[in-house]
């Protein structure tokens, strides 16, 4: 599903990832843990092809993330959502289908939204169907996060990557959002890799924990075997 | 069972509602365009003049063989210094006037918007060349003529753009500061100015570039410098010399542009500094600018005394008496009205031709983050082409167009479209460069094709600012139409030139009033349209 071998990413002189080896199998639900700057976002960016590694090899779904057809099967919920505020909600959700669309269809859809039933069904699942035609910038932070989830739902990815997908949601919504992500991945027998901070969410929704510190993998074990001291160590707290 | 997030009580089924206001503006723009096209076609007897193609070919061929003899280069070098001095001093004046004016016009400052706009409409509504011709009649052949002619209208335009840039900044931070008890000026300083600073500086640099062009145009109406050489060479059909002057102009504009860009980048992303010292490069640039302005004043021998001399006051009093009241006879008014219609049609066509071109070229012209060698070459070529288009003054393009087109709305529109495309293409490229790259990258990450990622990730965010720039250019095009006329291409400008030559000051006032009212009307319409776009 996802295989990183000796992956290093350098920004200028600093290494955001430093020789990371990681393999994720179909059906796994992996939580990425680590303090801010530990390399979680960079790891996810390498996996979806946004960032090319300085060294090492990346295989995603049996191909290279540089291949557009491979990327089309990888869905990402970004930390800052990366929605276009000036577009209506329906267009931002439809953007999840851009990989399958010709340029002409993409352009026409801005005039007459294509695949409306699917979009509305996805919005229904995130509880935003009645805001479908509103400008996205008029929505609250939590609502925008749900638009990003809906975009992922219409994309139907095999591999789901999520960078702090619950950061703007209240505890109940956060819990449901994680369930939604897990189901989206499971629907096609895929995997979920999510950067998370909340230990409760990790225990409920993931079965494996990968801890990062200074760009290296420092912890990799089933969630049941992770202790409070392990977490304290990851976040630099004195045990 | 599949998970769903809770949703509010379901209201009526959602429906796609078009924004009626924006549709109305779109239809209005289309109607205006059709009307202008009809005007361009109705000038009677064919628009193409096949007899001029040989001359056009000779002109084009000379582009590869510019005049490079030492005496001409010497003359040109001295002309460049005069033009630089005019441009630098004029820009300095424009920025001072603009900063002060922006405080009056800005919504953020709670300014008396319409009153201030009315005040700015008069200096802004008249082209630099018109100011030049008027000021020559007051000050005589004084170096202040060029500096004031550049600085006054540019200052008024700067005031409006500065105010718009500050007003377009998201207000949350500013409101938060006000809510925390900060005073308006302090809140503006921390919450409005920093996000707008990049745009303000960029516009100031752009203003310097404009001032170079204005200085050249003023040269063409007699203030000396590069424009004067250009006009002389053009009038004597020395195409090789014309191209040398054009290349000199392009080099000057490029210098102004590169300097501005470097400063803007430095401000946006300063290098990490271990101490609290100011950035030495920016400090040097600021000091260099001050020195340049000082040198300009010295080189041109600008003396404040000539502004307040008895002769100046006397001449001003005489002109004021002769110019008031304006001429109101029916024949003149009918002529003015007819020419005003031509002017609007020319300006609409110019923008209508330039805008699609600018949108097409904005992508290639914008600097890519990680360009391939081919992309780099294309980018440089497109940017060079746009620079040449906006560097060559509109009257020169008009003369070139008149080689092969009969006088009328069309050659004027094409001449103005060339310069408008040059400016708008660059502005559109800058808009795309300054957008947050992440939404587009996110779409690329989910496998979108480049066109799809551009349509959904870039176009919706760039459309508003680019259309706003296009509307600004429409106002500029109206003024430039007068300039092109002033140098012989007909319209309100030609009428103004005749009235000035015959010292019919009452008629001059009428024509000037018509120009100001026209510019003001276009300004109001374009401002409403921009508001609908937000």
């Amino acid at each position: 599903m996802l295989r990183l071998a000796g992956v290093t990413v350098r920004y200028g002189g600093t290494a955001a990832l430093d020789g990371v080896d990681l393999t994720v199998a179909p059906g796994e639900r992996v939580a990425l843990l680590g303090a801010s700057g530990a390399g979680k976002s960079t790891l996810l960016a390498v996996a979806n092809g946004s960032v090319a590694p300085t060294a090492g090899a990346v295989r995603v779904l049996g191909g290279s993330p540089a291949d557009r057809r491979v990327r089309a099967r990888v869905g990402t919920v970004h930390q800052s959502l990366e929605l276009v505020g000036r577009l209506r909600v329906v267009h931002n959700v439809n953007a999840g289908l851009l990989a399958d669309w010709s340029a002409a269809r993409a352009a026409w859809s801005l005039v007459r939204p294509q695949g409306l039933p699917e979009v509305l069904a996805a919005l229904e699942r995130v509880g935003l169907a009645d805001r479908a035609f509103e400008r996205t910038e008029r929505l609250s932070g939590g609502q925008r996060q749900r638009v990003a989830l809906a975009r992922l739902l219409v994309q139907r990815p095999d591999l789901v990557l999520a960078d702090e997908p619950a950061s703007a949601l209240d505890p109940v919504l956060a819990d449901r959002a994680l369930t939604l992500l897990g189901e989206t991945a499971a629907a096609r027998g895929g995997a979920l890799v999510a950067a998370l901070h909340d230990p409760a969410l990790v225990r409920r929704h993931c079965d494996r924990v990968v801890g990062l510190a200074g760009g290296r993998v420092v912890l990799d074990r089933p969630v049941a075997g992770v202790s409070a001291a392990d977490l304290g160590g990851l976040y630099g707290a004195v045990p | 069972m599949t998970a769903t997030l809770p949703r509010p009580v379901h209201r009526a089924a959602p429906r796609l509602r078009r924004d009626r206001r924006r549709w109305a503006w779109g239809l209005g723009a289309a109607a205006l365009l059709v009307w202008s096209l009809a005007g361009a076609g109705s000038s009677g007897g064919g628009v193409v003049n096949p007899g001029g193609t040989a001359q056009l070919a000779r002109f084009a061929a000379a582009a590869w063989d510019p005049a490079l003899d030492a005496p001409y280069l010497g003359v040109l070098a001295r002309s460049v210094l005069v033009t630089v001095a005019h441009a630098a001093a004029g820009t300095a004046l424009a920025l001072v006037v603009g900063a002060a004016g922006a405080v009056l016009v800005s919504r953020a400052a709670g300014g008396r918007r319409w009153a201030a706009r009315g005040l700015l409409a008069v200096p802004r509504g008249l082209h630099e060349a018109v100011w030049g011709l008027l000021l020559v009649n007051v000050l005589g052949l004084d170096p202040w003529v060029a500096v004031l002619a550049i600085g006054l209208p540019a200052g008024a335009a700067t005031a409006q753009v500065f105010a718009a840039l500050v007003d377009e900044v998201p207000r949350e931070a500013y409101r938060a500061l006000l809510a925390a008890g900060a005073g308006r000026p302090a809140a503006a300083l921390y919450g409005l100015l920093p996000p707008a600073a990049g745009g303000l500086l960029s516009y100031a640099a752009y203003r310097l570039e404009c001032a170079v062009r204005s200085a050249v145009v003023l040269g063409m109406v007699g203030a000396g410098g590069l424009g004067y050489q250009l006009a002389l060479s053009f009038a004597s059909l020395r195409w090789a010399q014309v191209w040398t002057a054009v290349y000199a102009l392009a080099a000057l504009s490029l210098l102004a542009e590169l300097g501005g860009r470097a400063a803007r980048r430095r401000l946006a992303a300063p290098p990490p500094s271990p101490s609290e010292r100011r950035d030495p490069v920016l400090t040097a640039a600021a000091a260099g600018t001050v020195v340049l302005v000082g040198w300009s004043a010295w080189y041109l021998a600008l003396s404040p005394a000539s502004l307040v001399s008895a002769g100046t006051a006397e001449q001003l009093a005489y002109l004021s008496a002769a110019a008031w009241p304006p001429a109101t006879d029916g024949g003149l008014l009918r002529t003015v009205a007819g020419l005003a219609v031509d002017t609007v049609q020319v300006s609409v066509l110019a923008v209508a031709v330039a805008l699609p071109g600018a949108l097409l070229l904005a992508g290639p012209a914008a600097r890519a983050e990680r360009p391939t060698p081919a992309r780099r070459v294309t980018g440089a070529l497109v940017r060079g082409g746009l620079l040449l288009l906006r560097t060559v003054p509109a009257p020169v393009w008009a003369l070139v167009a008149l080689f092969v087109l009969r006088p009328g709305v069309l050659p004027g529109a094409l001449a103005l479209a060339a310069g408008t495309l040059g400016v708008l293409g660059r502005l559109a490229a800058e808009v795309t460069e300054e957008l947050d790259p992440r939404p587009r990258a996110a779409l690329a990450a989910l496998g979108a094709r480049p066109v799809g990622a551009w349509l959904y990730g870039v176009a919706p965010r760039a459309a508003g600012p680019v259309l706003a720039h296009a509307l600004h250019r429409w106002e500029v095009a109206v003024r430039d139409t007068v300039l092109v006329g002033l140098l012989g291409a007909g319209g309100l400008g030609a009428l103004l030139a005749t009235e000035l030559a015959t010292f019919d000051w009452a008629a001059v006032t009428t024509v000037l009033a018509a120009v100001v009212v026209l510019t003001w009307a276009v300004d109001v319409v374009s401002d409403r349209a921009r508001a609908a776009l937000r």
Side-chain angles (χ1 to χ4, degrees):
Chain A
M1 193 107 273
L2 172 65
R3 185 188 301 268
L4 273 60
V7 168
T8 297
V9 175
R10 290 186 174 280
Y11 295 121
T14 45
L17 287 183
D18 190 0
V20 169
D21 295 302
L22 180 70
T23 303
V24 177
E28 276 197 294
R29 294 176 301 165
V30 180
L32 287 182
L33 296 183
S36 298
K40 304 186 297 292
S41 297
T42 308
L43 195 154
L44 293 171
V46 166
N48 71 19
S50 311
V51 170
T54 319
V58 186
R59 299 289 287 171
V60 181
L61 302 168
S64 157
D67 180 351
R68 201 172 65 74
R69 298 312 314 175
V70 170
R71 290 206 304 273
R73 296 165 58 204
V74 179
T76 313
V77 178
H78 300 264
Q79 189 171 10
S80 43
L81 306 179
E82 331 297 32
L83 301 171
V84 176
R86 290 191 70 89
L87 282 181
R88 295 169 194 263
V89 168
V90 54
H91 297 309
N92 268 310
V93 175
N94 252 339
L97 294 171
L98 281 179
D100 302 329
W101 285 359
S102 67
R105 186 164 186 204
W108 179 239
S109 181
L110 287 172
V111 183
R112 249 179 208 298
Q114 305 285 293
L116 258 187
E118 219 179 333
V119 171
L120 290 176
L123 284 170
E124 186 76 32
R125 279 187 76 187
V126 298
L128 278 181
D130 53 344
R131 313 296 293 271
F133 295 107
E134 241 173 274
R135 261 209 214 177
T136 310
E137 63 197 6
R138 301 215 176 103
L139 269 51
S140 72
Q143 288 170 331
R144 285 184 216 185
Q145 198 132 16
R146 291 193 262 162
V147 174
L149 284 174
R151 177 167 75 183
L152 186 88
L153 289 178
V154 303
Q155 193 194 347
R156 300 177 194 277
D158 292 317
L159 173 61
V160 175
L161 307 173
D163 200 352
E164 300 186 21
S167 58
L169 303 177
D170 65 52
V172 176
L173 279 178
D175 191 59
R176 298 202 188 193
L178 259 294
T179 308
L180 208 64
L181 288 174
E183 283 179 0
T184 308
R188 296 168 66 91
L192 165 69
V193 182
L196 292 170
H197 280 308
D198 180 355
L201 283 178
V202 173
R203 288 188 200 288
R204 253 201 310 281
H205 296 281
C206 300
D207 34 44
R208 176 180 165 196
V209 169
V210 172
L212 289 169
R216 291 164 185 272
V217 175
V218 294
L219 177 88
D220 186 353
R221 63 176 74 141
V223 71
V226 177
S227 66
D230 290 331
L231 293 179
L234 277 179
Y235 288 95
V238 183
Chain B
M1 199 195 122
T2 53
T4 55
L5 302 187
R7 61 192 168 81
V9 183
H10 202 68
R11 293 189 286 269
R15 268 189 326 130
L16 178 59
R17 258 181 240 274
R18 304 281 177 201
D19 186 333
R20 280 205 198 127
R21 206 159 55 121
R22 274 196 252 171
W23 273 79
W25 277 106
L27 285 177
L32 196 60
L33 180 59
V34 169
W35 174 68
S36 303
L37 276 173
S42 70
S43 42
V47 285
V48 179
N49 167 26
T53 38
Q55 194 64 269
L56 181 67
R58 277 196 288 281
F59 170 76
W64 307 106
D65 189 21
L68 295 172
D69 55 296
Y72 181 65
L73 288 183
V75 170
L76 208 60
R78 281 191 294 281
S79 311
V80 167
L81 288 184
V82 172
T83 299
V84 167
H86 282 158
T91 308
L93 180 64
L95 293 181
V96 171
V97 172
V103 175
L104 292 179
V105 189
S106 164
R107 285 195 184 101
R112 315 273 173 276
R113 190 165 175 74
W114 288 103
R117 283 215 149 185
L119 206 67
L120 292 178
V122 176
R124 219 168 58 85
L126 299 180
H127 194 278
E128 295 93 312
V130 176
W131 275 107
L133 290 175
L134 291 178
L135 287 164
V136 154
N137 282 287
V138 179
L139 295 165
L141 284 176
D142 191 279
W144 273 111
V145 170
V147 175
L148 287 173
I150 293 172
L152 292 178
T158 305
Q160 197 178 5
V161 172
F162 274 13
L165 283 170
V166 171
D167 285 344
E168 275 163 22
V169 165
R171 306 293 281 276
E172 289 82 1
Y174 174 68
R175 288 204 199 99
L177 288 168
L178 286 182
R184 268 174 180 273
L189 206 58
Y190 280 77
L192 290 180
L193 269 189
L200 295 178
L201 195 80
S202 166
Y203 187 76
Y206 161 69
R207 218 54 256 187
L208 183 65
E209 236 189 292
C210 291
V212 170
R213 283 197 292 281
S214 304
V216 172
V217 165
L218 282 164
M220 293 185 84
V221 299
L226 257 179
Y228 184 60
Q229 293 305 325
L230 192 62
L232 273 186
S233 305
F234 213 108
S236 49
L237 310 184
R238 291 184 193 168
W239 305 134
Q241 291 188 358
V242 168
W243 280 103
T244 314
V246 165
Y247 291 141
L249 242 177
L252 260 187
S253 288
L254 189 66
L255 265 181
E257 190 179 321
L258 289 181
R261 177 181 292 275
R264 193 154 51 94
R265 293 221 164 146
R266 194 86 182 181
L267 261 187
S273 161
S275 69
E276 292 198 356
R277 280 184 50 216
R278 287 175 196 285
D279 183 349
V281 175
L282 277 181
T283 313
T289 310
V290 172
V291 169
L292 180 66
V293 172
W295 169 83
S296 304
W298 169 81
Y299 187 73
L300 296 172
L302 288 179
S303 152
S306 54
L307 286 181
V308 289
S309 73
T312 304
E314 195 180 307
Q315 189 64 12
L316 194 61
Y318 162 72
L319 279 185
S320 312
W324 198 260
T328 51
D329 57 287
L332 179 69
L333 290 184
R334 266 191 299 280
T335 313
V336 166
L339 293 176
V341 166
D342 283 355
T343 302
V344 171
Q345 289 179 335
V346 166
S347 63
V348 168
L349 286 180
V351 175
V353 170
L355 181 59
L359 290 178
L360 283 177
L361 294 178
R367 281 173 170 74
E369 244 179 287
R370 270 159 287 167
T372 58
R375 172 77 176 70
R376 213 184 281 269
V377 172
T378 324
L381 283 178
V382 172
R383 281 193 294 276
L386 290 175
L387 179 75
L388 206 63
L389 281 177
R390 63 177 176 267
T391 297
V392 176
V396 174
W397 285 125
L399 291 172
V400 172
L402 285 173
F403 283 149
V404 287
L405 295 174
R406 293 187 199 287
V409 167
L410 199 60
L414 287 182
L416 290 178
T420 308
L421 173 59
V423 175
L424 210 51
R426 177 200 154 171
L427 291 173
E430 282 186 356
V431 166
T432 24
E433 278 171 23
E434 281 174 9
L435 287 179
D436 181 351
R438 288 178 301 180
R440 186 192 202 166
L443 296 178
L446 60 77
R449 289 182 171 80
V451 175
W454 185 85
L455 275 174
Y456 282 73
V458 177
R461 294 181 296 153
V466 170
L467 279 176
H469 280 307
L471 287 164
H472 271 303
R473 292 313 301 180
W474 182 32
E475 300 166 35
V476 176
V478 169
R479 300 180 327 121
D480 280 357
T481 311
V482 176
L483 162 75
V484 172
L486 208 53
L487 289 159
L492 279 174
L495 180 63
L496 183 64
T498 314
E499 307 297 7
L500 275 171
T502 52
F503 301 108
D504 186 350
W505 291 105
V508 166
T509 310
T510 307
V511 178
L512 289 183
V515 172
V516 169
V517 168
L518 198 60
T519 321
W520 178 79
V522 167
D523 178 21
V524 170
V525 172
S526 104
D527 187 60
R528 291 276 163 88
R530 274 197 297 271
L533 282 174
R534 270 196 276 272

